[in-house]
Amino acid sequence: QFHMIKHEDLTWKESLGQGSFTHISRGSKTDQRDGVTHSTEVLLKVLDANHKNCWESFFEAASLMSQISHKHLLLVYGISVHKSKNVMVQEFVKHGALDLYLKRSTSVSVSWKLDVAKQLACALNFLEEKNITHGNICAKNLLLAREGDPSADNSPFIKLSDPGISMALLGKDVVLDRIPWVAPEVLDTLEIELECDKWSFGSTLWEIFNNGEAPLQGLDPIQKQQFYEHFSNLPVLEWTELADLIIQCMQYQPELRPSCRSIIRQLNSLITSDYEILHATGTHPK
Ligand SMILES: N#Cc1ccc(Nc2nc(N)cc(-n3ccc(CO)n3)n2)cc1
């Protein structure tokens, strides 16, 4: 169920850091199409040698992404297995992970953030309609294909990355570390259902509107576990309508979380202009 890419058709360029249990590099792949050699810029995601036993789950995550196509889902060209290297070949997304972009950027507008939130909600709605659970929604797994330039009046464009190795294989400490993105019910069963993605969406909304700051970042795994045991909520954003949506998504009872359609409807009903004016000037528009 995969396109196998030959090792010799890949060129490795600079390393770009690492995800969890993988490291990523820029590269290119060549392929022959109607006798013409094409070279495509790609992102090469290599599974760490010490997690080689997770290669099935690594590729399972990638195959989820290549079975379906959607404008806000990352394109996976295929995989390449050569000697002990398990490589996922992805489309190269120009501006990389959203969490780093938000941390580095100073002047990202509220409407820019809302645009990104709507695009993520659309991707989730698409997956929900196909009854596919992603299982690892977070700003680190949102990739920025287009920055969006307010003066040129064009908006950002994001792609949801692959979910990576399933938590069931990664063990309890990784699951604890993923609090508050991982839904509370997952801690017991390690089973992920559609509602889990709604919880993670709420946590990711919090990240986006807090400029990429990781929620609960100061807490250690035990304190993170207690956060769930005490049915705690994230610190409330001052934009109450958005804070309400986050609370709805981060309901401890999975069945009380909103559908994607409801999430999209609520995002569309948020008025950014008033909020921005109020936020910027401290006064309400006339
Ligand atoms: N400086 C810089 C820079 C870094 C990366 C990209 N591009 C890219 N393309 C992808 N397909 C996936 C990723 N990822 C980044 C983290 C993860 C973990 O999931 N993926 N980055 C562009 C610029």
Side-chain angles (χ1 to χ4, degrees):
Q1 81 276 24
F2 251 126
H3 177 54
M4 298 301 289
I5 296 167
K6 292 198 292 295
H7 188 76
E8 54 268 21
D9 290 342
L10 293 176
T11 309
W12 295 74
K13 293 174 181 156
E14 77 272 20
S15 164
L16 292 171
Q18 48 262 334
S20 33
F21 317 104
T22 59
H23 61 270
I24 56 176
S25 301
R26 201 162 66 83
S28 62
K29 76 173 174 81
T30 55
D31 51 334
Q32 311 284 341
R33 268 170 290 168
D34 33 273
V36 179
T37 304
H38 294 259
S39 174
T40 312
E41 192 177 34
V42 296
L43 188 284
L44 300 166
K45 189 179 265 192
V46 187
L47 182 61
D48 285 351
N50 52 350
H51 282 88
K52 226 174 24 214
N53 60 319
C54 302
W55 65 272
E56 272 166 292
S57 179
F58 176 67
F59 288 142
E60 177 62 35
S63 88
L64 174 128
M65 305 300 284
S66 54
Q67 273 155 24
I68 46 178
S69 82
H70 183 271
K71 61 182 178 177
H72 291 308
L73 292 183
L74 178 72
L75 176 61
V76 173
Y77 292 117
I79 60 173
S80 171
V81 181
H82 176 75
K83 293 199 180 121
S84 68
K85 257 190 175 180
N86 294 302
V87 187
M88 191 192 315
V89 184
Q90 304 181 346
E91 69 171 305
F92 185 80
V93 179
K94 193 163 184 288
H95 301 283
L98 184 68
D99 65 324
L100 295 182
Y101 183 83
L102 288 172
K103 283 173 187 150
R104 282 193 206 118
S105 304
T106 48
S107 64
V108 169
S109 73
V110 166
S111 53
W112 190 99
K113 294 171 183 169
L114 199 53
D115 243 335
V116 163
K118 289 175 185 176
Q119 292 175 29
L120 175 55
C122 286
L124 283 189
N125 187 51
F126 177 79
L127 291 175
E128 183 184 69
E129 283 173 353
K130 299 215 180 281
N131 201 26
I132 293 174
T133 303
H134 183 277
N136 196 2
I137 306 292
C138 58
K140 197 187 296 297
N141 279 338
L142 287 180
L143 305 168
L144 190 61
R146 189 177 66 216
E147 278 189 290
D149 168 2
S151 56
D153 193 28
N154 79 356
S155 52
F157 197 88
I158 54 127
K159 300 234 177 195
L160 178 57
S161 182
D162 67 281
I165 302 164
S166 100
M167 281 178 285
L169 281 173
L170 294 175
K172 189 83 176 175
D173 51 330
V174 172
V175 177
L176 290 183
D177 196 45
R178 286 195 186 171
I179 292 176
W181 291 274
V182 61
E185 65 271 15
V186 174
L187 263 64
D188 314 324
T189 64
L190 288 184
E191 300 279 316
I192 50 169
E193 303 294 335
L194 281 177
E195 292 73 24
C196 303
D197 284 345
K198 313 278 178 8
W199 175 284
S200 307
F201 178 78
S203 203
T204 307
L205 267 188
W206 194 96
E207 264 187 295
I208 293 169
F209 285 87
N210 279 277
N211 298 315
E213 179 197 332
L216 309 183
Q217 69 181 13
L219 302 193
D220 66 36
I222 305 302
Q223 290 167 316
K224 285 191 169 188
Q225 194 160 10
Q226 286 167 343
F227 180 88
Y228 280 0
E229 282 160 2
H230 303 156
F231 299 100
S232 307
N233 295 314
L234 295 181
V236 174
L237 304 180
E238 71 262 34
W239 188 1
T240 34
E241 290 82 354
L242 189 83
D244 289 351
L245 178 56
I246 292 174
I247 291 287
Q248 289 173 48
C249 293
M250 299 181 81
Q251 289 278 347
Y252 277 82
Q253 282 180 278
E255 60 280 359
L256 296 183
R257 295 168 201 159
S259 67
C260 285
R261 301 186 60 70
S262 164
I263 289 171
I264 292 171
R265 222 183 359 259
Q266 293 186 59
L267 286 171
N268 286 330
S269 71
L270 291 175
I271 315 288
T272 47
S273 54
D274 291 7
Y275 177 80
E276 287 211 273
I277 293 165
L278 177 71
H279 201 64
T281 62
T283 57
H284 233 288
K286 299 282 170 289

